Structures are given as C-alpha cells and as structure tokens.
Amino acid sequence: MRCRLCGSDQLVSVLDLGATPPCERFLAEEELDCPEPTYPLHLRLCEHCLLLQLPALITPEDTFVEYAYFSSFSDSWVEHAKTFVERTNRRLGLGDGSFVIEVASNDGYLLQHVVASGVRCVGVEPSVNVGAAARERGVPTVTAFLDETTASHIRSEHGPADLVIANNVYAHVPDLVGFTKAMRTLMSDTGWLSIEVHHAQNLVALGQFDTIYHEHFQYYTVHSAMRALAIGDLALVDVELLETHGGSIRLWARPTASAGVPTERVHQALAMEEAAGLHEVDGYLNLRRRTEAIRHALLRFLLDCRAQGKRVVGYGAPGKGNTLLNYCGIRSDLIEYIVDRNPYKHGRFTPGTRIPIHETQRIATDRPDVVIALPWNLEIELTEQLAYIGEWGAELIFPLPTLHKAELGRRQLSGAAR
C-alpha cells in the first residue's frame, strides 16, 4: 500500500478493526443464508504527509450506484444545510446571476434551499435512487461520479461555478488527486470551494472508531487537508469547527492565484492540532487504547442488561453503527432489533451482525427497557425524538464518546411515536 496523496510507502498501523462487510450493504431476508464478503478495516497513517487512510479495497461503484443513505431523514441535518445556504449566500453575495454546484448532492437536502433562494444550481450524485429523489424535489441533478472528465463536461454545459460544495464526500474518494483536480475544474478562477469533512482530531482524541468504514478512504486534519488541496492548485483561506458528525471542519478554499491571506482561524486550527500531537506520528497511536475502552464499556453494559432480563433495542441504522456492531461482536442476543426512519432499510438486516431493522413505531408498541442510539452524533435530535420512552421508564443510551444515559423529559405517549 502506498499513500494516495504523496505516494510514500512509509505507512504505520494506527488501528486494526478486523474484517467487516461494507457498512451500507444491508441484507434482504433471502440473502441471510448466502455468503457475505468482508474486507480488512485497517487504518494507517502516512509518515510523510500525515494522511490517515484505508486501503481502497472496495470501489465507489460498489457502494454508491444504489445507496441506502438519504440525508433528508435527519431533520437536524436538513436544518444545518439550510443555515449554511442562507449564510453562504450572504457571505459570497450569491444571487440571480450566480451558479452553485454540489458534489455528492444526495437527495437534494441542501440544494433544495439553493433552488428556493433563486440561485442557479446543479447537483452531481452517483446514486441512481438517491438522485431520483433529488429531482423529485426540483433539484437539477447529474447522475455521475465526479472525475476530471465529468467535471469538464459539466463546466462546458453549465459554465464555471461561483461556489462548489463538497459536504461529506472528500473522505469517500480513492482517487484523491483526480477528485481534487476535478473540483478545481468546476470552479471559476475567482470561485469558492466549501468542504465539510469529519475532523481527524476528534476521531483520535475521542476514539470515534465507528467513523472508520470502507466508504471512507481517508480522514483529514486541517494540516493534511491543506496538502491535499494544494495538488489541485487550491489554497485554504478559512476554516470553521463544526459540531456535526461528532466534530467536523468546514474548509473554505479558492484557486491559489486568487486565494489571498488565510484567516486567523486557519492558524488557530493548525496550532490546536499541533498541541494535540497530530503533526507527529506518535500523536495518533493512542486511538487503539481509546477504541478498546469504548468497546469494553458497551459490552459490559449490554451483558449486564442481558443478565438482568432487560429488553434492549437499537435506534438508527447508520453505516457507522455497523462498524460498532461488528467490531464489538454485537448480535441480536444483545440488541434484539433496530428501528430506522428510512423505509428503504425496513425488513432488512444489518451487514455482518444480521440484526433485523423495523419501522420506528415498533418501539412504542414493544416498550423495551433500553434503547441504544447508534447515530450518537445526533444526540440532541434523538433525545427529543425519543423522549416518549421515558413514559414507561426506558433508558436512552449513547455509546460514544463515552457510554452515557440521556436525560429524558416526561411526555404523553399519545403524541410521541414519530
């Protein structure tokens, strides 16, 4: 394996999670007796450029042609996107004559707000089923993976973009060099690029091992992201620290010739990472110890519930949850079933662990003793949605960043199950 950014073969092991199936490969009932492919999930660090990365054992085509994740099923994520559009329109002065492209635009969760603001836009989304949902929302969407050829075609047809948005996709591309150059191709010479991506500092410092799965090929600090952007003749000019996905960074970049001087926030973020030891290899090596501690705490809790005869179910079936379930070896004896708002997943089973997935109403019907929230990064949203389980004394448990119980308000059950 060589570093996909700089080509170095000096890669050090950071965390080996064993072998797991692709995290979004939910199983139909008729597939339960069939073999299930698994792939090593081994995180490494390039000693030269400090890019955290996985080997590219599956291709984006294996995952994203038909995809199980629809962004709009998270209310807080849609609101996050709306706020971003409103603030960005003001910051960049976008209006009737502007043009916006979003890469990996999913089901139109973000661009629907761009359309509503009267700004011309187009989404680039490889998943056929998800892109169709975007078009139903009135969001112009090209069904394609972004590469340099696709970028040239889009630019020729639509013109250069004043803003390119790449939220939660920069980790999903094995051809990091080609993808970065393609984003630059989409932009005008004075355009802007906005990237949101999980911050590797939180992954390491808080042991967020469940964000490691085969769809993610690399994980960025501000330091390594600057190096990646530079290969596309892009310069980082600003950075924002976000709470989304357990701690993300929003990177603002421009073509190098028009970038200007980076803001003080860039220097502050770099200094914060350096203080955390992430400008040296040794700063990454405590991730294994933190990961093991989280696994042991969760398993002790579930085994205690089992011994006490408590009924435990899960809420949410995100891809990250499947890393947690497989690494911890959790099966339906410890979590009976999982519910999810996405009807695409109903009647299916989690990859590897084969836990059944049902509609959310099942919780109100069964009244379990404990609900484990797998998308722990949505704690505020889920605590509100699941407050009704307190009516029968159930506990809502979040497994990360440390195992803890949510404080539930008292609500009437009649209006609770959503």
Side-chain angles (χ1 to χ4, degrees):
M1 179 179 173
R2 288 186 174 272
C3 175
R4 62 175 51 91
L5 176 57
C6 72
S8 170
D9 62 357
Q10 301 302 306
L11 298 168
V12 61
S13 174
V14 172
L15 180 63
D16 188 348
L17 295 174
T20 69
C23 70
E24 293 286 352
R25 179 65 171 84
F26 293 93
L27 302 173
E29 185 172 7
E30 59 269 21
E31 296 177 296
L32 293 179
D33 288 329
C34 299
E36 190 174 4
T38 62
Y39 304 86
L41 199 55
H42 190 176
L43 185 66
R44 296 176 173 91
L45 177 73
C46 175
E47 294 182 346
H48 177 66
C49 69
L50 298 179
L51 181 70
L52 275 172
Q53 55 200 284
L54 295 173
L57 300 178
I58 62 174
T59 69
E61 289 80 3
D62 293 328
T63 303
F64 294 110
V65 173
E66 181 170 354
Y67 198 38
Y69 177 71
F70 290 71
S71 296
S72 293
F73 282 106
S74 169
D75 296 336
S76 63
W77 187 242
V78 173
E79 185 61 30
H80 171 77
K82 181 180 180 182
T83 300
F84 167 80
V85 170
E86 292 171 349
R87 292 178 177 174
T88 301
N89 283 353
R90 292 194 297 268
R91 174 176 181 166
L92 305 186
L94 301 179
D96 293 346
S98 304
F99 179 45
V100 173
I101 297 175
E102 185 184 12
V103 183
S105 51
N106 202 264
D107 61 3
Y109 76 101
L110 185 148
L111 286 183
Q112 64 182 336
H113 305 299
V114 177
V115 171
S117 72
V119 175
R120 185 168 64 96
C121 65
V122 67
V124 184
E125 170 55 48
S127 302
V128 175
N129 60 325
V130 178
R135 284 186 284 272
E136 289 176 4
R137 283 192 168 89
V139 176
T141 304
V142 176
T143 301
F145 288 95
L146 183 69
D147 55 25
E148 293 180 78
T149 300
T150 301
S152 295
H153 288 162
I154 292 173
R155 183 182 175 117
S156 296
E157 180 176 354
H158 298 280
D162 301 288
L163 170 65
V164 173
I165 304 166
N167 288 351
N168 301 297
V169 64
Y170 206 35
H172 292 258
V173 289
D175 181 10
L176 180 55
V177 174
F179 186 87
T180 304
K181 291 180 178 178
M183 290 194 296
R184 172 63 184 94
T185 298
L186 293 174
M187 299 168 58
S188 74
D189 290 341
T190 57
W192 290 79
L193 170 65
S194 179
I195 295 174
E196 289 184 25
V197 69
H198 185 242
H199 195 185
Q201 180 169 333
N202 292 286
L203 166 62
V204 175
L206 302 177
Q208 296 173 343
F209 71 92
D210 61 341
T211 62
I212 302 169
Y213 44 85
H214 298 104
E215 291 178 19
H216 286 168
F217 296 101
Q218 53 267 336
Y219 303 81
Y220 300 93
T221 58
V222 174
H223 178 71
S224 61
M226 290 177 70
R227 291 187 171 187
L229 290 167
I231 62 177
D233 191 31
L234 295 165
L236 186 68
V237 296
D238 195 13
V239 63
E240 298 176 58
L241 303 181
L242 308 175
E243 295 183 356
T244 54
H245 296 291
S248 299
I249 44 179
R250 179 181 289 148
L251 306 164
W252 291 95
R254 304 191 76 184
T256 303
S258 58
V261 178
T263 66
E264 182 60 26
R265 293 195 294 193
V266 173
H267 300 297
Q268 291 172 350
L270 289 170
M272 178 182 66
E273 292 175 352
E274 185 173 18
L278 299 185
H279 292 182
E280 304 289 340
V281 172
D282 289 349
Y284 295 82
L285 301 183
N286 285 327
L287 177 58
R288 177 179 174 180
R289 175 182 56 80
R290 295 178 182 124
T291 295
E292 290 173 348
I294 292 167
R295 176 175 65 171
H296 297 162
L298 178 57
L299 284 172
R300 279 194 296 268
F301 175 80
L302 291 174
L303 289 169
D304 286 345
C305 288
R306 173 97 176 156
Q308 296 165 24
K310 292 182 177 181
R311 192 174 186 184
V312 180
V313 304
Y315 186 93
K320 65 193 304 176
N322 291 320
T323 292
L324 183 146
L325 294 171
N326 279 282
Y327 175 64
C328 295
I330 295 170
R331 304 291 191 273
S332 57
D333 60 327
L334 297 180
I335 295 181
E336 182 179 338
Y337 60 81
I338 295 170
V339 303
D340 195 274
R341 295 177 71 184
N342 185 351
Y344 179 89
K345 299 177 183 179
H346 298 165
R348 295 178 181 264
F349 297 77
T350 57
T353 54
R354 312 296 180 92
I355 299 174
I357 304 170
H358 301 297
E359 71 285 348
T360 56
Q361 178 63 33
R362 183 72 175 260
I363 288 180
T365 301
D366 289 351
R367 297 191 173 199
D369 302 295
V370 178
V371 177
I372 302 287
L374 296 177
W376 54 265
N377 52 296
L378 301 176
E379 180 167 351
I380 295 175
E381 177 181 347
L382 298 190
T383 299
E384 180 180 349
Q385 287 181 8
L386 292 166
Y388 69 92
I389 71 173
E391 292 296 324
W392 62 82
E395 295 179 321
L396 175 60
I397 301 297
F398 290 88
L400 274 82
T402 57
L403 187 76
H404 62 283
K405 180 171 70 173
E407 293 295 329
L408 299 177
R410 307 294 292 180
R411 293 179 56 187
Q412 294 298 317
L413 183 59
S414 59
R418 289 184 168 89

